[in-house]
Amino acid sequence: MYFSRKILMVSLLCIYASCNADAQRGGLSLDYYIETCPSVEEIVRSETERIMSIAPTLAAPLLRLHFHDCFVRVSSYDIGCDGSVLLNSTKNSKAEKDSPPNFTLRGYGSIERVKAAVEEKCPGVVSCADIVALVARDAVSILKGPYWKVPLGRRDGRISNASEALANIPAPTFNFTQLKASFAVKGLTSKDLVVLSGSHTIGTSHCSTIATRLYNFSGTGAPDPSMDPEYVARLKSRCRPTDNTTLVEMDPGSFRTFDLHYYENVGKRRGLFTSDSTLLSDGLAGSYVRRQGSLATAAEFFEDFSDSMVKLGSIGVLTGKEGEIRKRCDAVN
Ligand SMILES: *[C@@H]1O[C@H](CO)[C@@H](O)[C@H](O)[C@H]1NC(C)=O
Ligand SMILES: *[C@@H]1O[C@H](CO)[C@@H](O)[C@H](O)[C@H]1NC(C)=O
Ligand SMILES: *[C@@H]1O[C@H](CO)[C@@H](O)[C@H](O)[C@H]1NC(C)=O
Ligand SMILES: *[C@@H]1O[C@H](CO)[C@@H](O)[C@H](O)[C@H]1NC(C)=O
Ligand SMILES: *[C@@H]1O[C@H](CO)[C@@H](O)[C@H](O)[C@H]1NC(C)=O
Ligand SMILES: *[C@@H]1O[C@H](CO)[C@@H](O)[C@H](O)[C@H]1NC(C)=O
């Protein structure tokens, strides 16, 4: 009774104040820039469209930048999506950008371009962390994926720490237990994990990331037995054991469309990374994969993905007077 009354009260308040529970998450709001930069979303959208028309393969890296930004905790404070992933190293500190998980990160120049366009219209108002979140959303929706409302008002952090990046980012070699644990630290559930893994419907990876899986999985010279042998053969024909330059598609055949094929492939034991294949080893995640792999409509996945992205985007945000609004994204003011 208590709970239902409380929920009723909240929803009444929301009707009158025209608010939305998601919008309030973590002190962010959907209309944060309504007075200070009302056109921010249009500027970001048109710049992102321009970038994607020239370099469509940047969509996955731009999405991944947001993910990495939110996942890395900065210096013992619980700080997440704060634009720290964009900072260059300085004389005194090595930035996240320059730690090994950086190999897959690209798109810094694009964010800088979007930031410059926003600065031209609204100088010193919109954070780099918000720009990264908006660009990620736009990149996904331009590839025919879901479109979600991005709560805004993140402030930019002043610290970027390479060694923390290393410790925080889940590796492609992680099994389900490890993935689940690293997501749980950020307040993300197994459902968020299987849903956000759907990001692998777009993008590519270097052969070197899967060399061990293909050529020497458990030190015996054999491939990972959990992979479909036909898929292994196909990957081997593309990736020699020491190849560190060739790219492989994460979702073969449709890696430039944000769709459900990823789950279909994982369900057929054609997940590229251990972190993809391992989803089948968990009851909940496995049944999600199989259900999405067989769904005729993308509606459920799109809705889930939108919800998980909003959750991801609110991890450890700086708000109010915390942090700063950077002038450019690769350096603190
Ligand atoms: C950050 O690094 C990039 C790439 O090396 C460089 O182009 C840019 O000028 C650097 N930014 C600053 C503020 O030094
Ligand atoms: C990634 O980090 C390594 C190791 O610090 C560095 O040598 C390399 O230049 C970085 N790569 C990029 C693309 O920033
Ligand atoms: C970076 O993080 C590590 C591990 O948390 C910590 O030992 C180190 O002091 C940090 N470096 C900076 C410059 O904050
Ligand atoms: C997952 O990996 C960790 C670390 O290598 C290991 O301790 C654990 O047993 C693995 N879990 C499963 C279910 O394979
Ligand atoms: C496979 O891995 C084992 C153990 O790590 C190593 O001793 C062996 O040399 C590797 N074989 C090849 C062909 O790389
Ligand atoms: C890639 O492979 C070549 C030849 O095997 C090697 O010389 C080079 O250092 C490697 N690069 C990286 C980034 O590992």
Side-chain angles (χ1 to χ4, degrees):
M1 283 315 269
Y2 169 74
F3 282 112
S4 59
R5 202 175 312 144
K6 188 168 165 187
I7 289 167
L8 181 67
M9 263 178 60
V10 170
S11 48
L12 281 177
L13 277 174
C14 282
I15 292 165
Y16 292 126
S18 75
C19 70
N20 158 331
D22 276 344
Q24 298 299 314
R25 205 185 274 282
L28 306 175
S29 64
L30 292 178
D31 56 4
Y32 187 79
Y33 296 111
I34 191 115
E35 276 165 12
T36 53
C37 192
S39 55
V40 60
E41 300 210 28
E42 286 151 50
I43 301 171
V44 173
R45 178 79 184 192
S46 72
E47 287 299 312
T48 308
E49 274 171 358
R50 207 167 53 81
I51 290 161
M52 300 262 304
S53 70
I54 301 163
T57 61
L58 272 180
L62 290 171
L63 174 56
R64 196 174 296 126
L65 270 183
H66 182 42
F67 179 80
H68 278 236
D69 191 29
C70 295
F71 240 76
V72 173
R73 189 204 64 176
V74 169
S75 279
S76 46
Y77 302 102
D78 197 13
I79 299 174
C81 322
D82 70 338
S84 59
V85 72
L86 307 167
L87 290 171
N88 282 1
S89 292
T90 62
K91 244 185 261 151
N92 303 322
S93 95
K94 195 169 155 195
E96 288 161 33
K97 231 181 213 180
D98 294 316
S99 79
N102 72 358
F103 296 144
T104 52
L105 293 185
R106 293 192 294 136
Y108 298 108
S110 304
I111 299 292
E112 212 65 66
R113 261 200 302 287
V114 177
K115 169 69 169 172
V118 171
E119 283 295 295
E120 208 169 286
K121 192 92 181 188
C122 328
V125 168
V126 181
S127 68
C128 294
D130 276 348
I131 288 176
V132 171
L134 288 170
V135 167
R137 186 273 311 273
D138 288 341
V140 166
S141 79
I142 290 167
L143 290 190
K144 303 190 171 67
Y147 179 93
W148 60 96
K149 290 182 175 159
V150 179
L152 298 167
R154 297 168 189 79
R155 309 260 303 170
D156 295 324
R158 296 191 179 95
I159 305 164
S160 179
N161 185 328
S163 53
E164 285 175 349
L166 252 184
N168 277 260
I169 301 294
T173 53
F174 273 12
N175 62 30
F176 196 83
T177 317
Q178 294 168 297
L179 289 173
K180 193 177 167 179
S182 79
F183 270 61
V185 169
K186 308 292 170 192
L188 298 174
T189 63
S190 294
K191 169 127 190 233
D192 294 316
L193 167 58
V194 65
V195 167
L196 292 173
S197 294
S199 303
H200 288 176
T201 179
I202 53 172
T204 55
S205 171
H206 283 107
C207 283
S208 48
T209 317
I210 51 164
T212 304
R213 230 186 150 205
L214 296 182
Y215 288 101
N216 199 2
F217 185 64
S218 40
T220 61
D224 183 341
S226 75
M227 291 171 94
D228 166 29
E230 253 179 54
Y231 182 51
V232 171
R234 211 183 318 142
L235 289 171
K236 277 182 162 179
S237 73
R238 183 157 176 83
C239 296
R240 305 313 305 158
T242 55
D243 183 343
N244 57 15
T245 53
T246 305
L247 292 169
V248 282
E249 297 168 14
M250 292 208 263
D251 181 6
S254 79
F255 76 111
R256 289 188 187 181
T257 314
F258 200 98
D259 58 20
L260 291 166
H261 286 135
Y262 165 79
Y263 293 110
E264 202 177 300
N265 284 321
V266 172
K268 289 180 180 158
R269 303 195 295 137
R270 292 177 182 174
L272 188 62
F273 301 138
T274 298
S275 60
D276 299 315
S277 303
T278 196
L279 296 173
L280 292 175
S281 71
D282 178 72
L284 185 147
S287 71
Y288 192 90
V289 167
R290 290 193 193 89
R291 195 165 70 251
Q292 297 307 323
S294 60
L295 255 191
T297 164
E300 179 192 4
F301 168 54
F302 278 18
E303 204 177 315
D304 289 342
F305 192 80
S306 300
D307 290 347
S308 290
M309 285 302 291
V310 169
K311 248 173 118 176
L312 171 77
S314 67
I315 294 172
V317 292
L318 298 171
T319 54
K321 293 188 157 60
E322 298 170 308
E324 64 182 15
I325 302 297
R326 271 180 226 147
K327 290 193 176 65
R328 50 184 292 159
C329 293
D330 57 9
V332 299
N333 292 342

